[in-house]
Amino acid sequence: MRRIIDCRCSDFLNMTRRDLLDSIAECEGRTVCCETVGTLQAMLGDVTNAEFAAAMGADLILLNMFDCNDPQINALPKCEPMERVRMLKKLTGRPIGINLEPVEQVLSSENPEENMWAMTGGRKAPLENARKAADMGVNFILLTGNPGMGVTNEAIEQTLRLYKRELGDRLV
């Protein structure tokens, strides 16, 4: 197994969950993950922010504010919503992850008109969204807890157990 910092785009095509974890581990902490927000304007016009991050050396791309029900990635070439992650993987040549939040209760407005960071159903962490993400080609999910969203350590632990039991080796 190659270290992730030595991988080419083609190396990621058939990597399993275990292969990706081993490839990261082989780097002994020298792996760079860059978080981008696909719903924000692309910094370079028709180049996605994820492509820019990959060009600057990111080994992994993490999409923040990614909505599994309405996947938006600005500057991405036109494609079906369920193919957007695969298209981004093709353009960046990198494994792609998303943030999901195991929210027990929403403590801020869910209306994007009132709150730019509003929590939508597609950004929450129920099993259905994790399955959708895996079906879209997502390699990993980061369970995150932004302030004011109602995420607890207990919810994170329960979600991790559920994902492991139900999704097995489909995702990191």
Side-chain angles (χ1 to χ4, degrees):
M1 179 55 50
R2 287 182 180 213
R3 299 179 311 165
I4 196 166
I5 59 176
D6 295 327
C7 286
R8 295 183 178 102
C9 301
S10 59
D11 294 324
F12 296 117
L13 294 176
N14 297 311
M15 265 193 191
T16 65
R17 172 188 176 276
R18 180 81 261 150
D19 293 339
L20 180 57
L21 288 172
D22 289 346
S23 182
I24 292 168
E26 287 294 315
C27 286
E28 301 172 335
R30 295 178 301 239
T31 302
V32 175
C33 180
C34 183
E35 184 175 63
T36 66
V37 180
T39 57
L40 295 180
Q41 179 178 350
M43 293 183 289
L44 298 175
D46 63 351
V47 175
T48 66
N49 291 337
E51 288 173 274
F52 179 61
M56 295 297 111
D59 302 301
L60 302 165
I61 303 296
L62 178 63
L63 303 177
N64 195 354
M65 308 264 315
F66 185 83
D67 188 313
C68 293
N69 298 324
D70 184 24
Q72 300 297 317
I73 303 171
N74 283 334
L76 194 69
K78 296 253 186 259
C79 62
E80 293 297 317
M82 287 297 288
E83 293 302 313
R84 290 181 179 153
V85 170
R86 284 183 189 82
M87 174 66 77
L88 190 62
K89 287 168 75 170
K90 180 180 175 183
L91 293 172
T92 62
R94 302 294 190 275
I96 304 292
I98 64 170
N99 285 328
L100 290 179
E101 300 196 41
V103 176
E104 291 184 343
Q105 59 181 325
V106 177
L107 301 178
S108 65
S109 171
E110 292 188 44
N111 182 350
E113 302 276 327
E114 296 172 18
N115 176 4
M116 175 178 155
W117 308 106
M119 176 60 60
T120 61
R123 291 182 38 224
K124 295 178 185 177
L127 182 59
E128 173 188 348
N129 284 346
R131 280 193 176 122
K132 271 186 204 174
D135 291 344
M136 283 188 243
V138 166
N139 298 97
F140 62 98
I141 292 176
L142 175 72
L143 295 178
T144 188
N146 289 308
M149 293 298 179
V151 175
T152 65
N153 288 337
E154 294 78 23
I156 291 171
E157 289 175 23
Q158 289 172 1
T159 303
L160 284 172
R161 283 189 196 95
L162 176 66
Y163 285 7
K164 180 145 180 81
R165 184 178 68 241
E166 297 295 324
L167 297 171
D169 289 337
R170 288 187 71 192
L171 296 164
V172 174

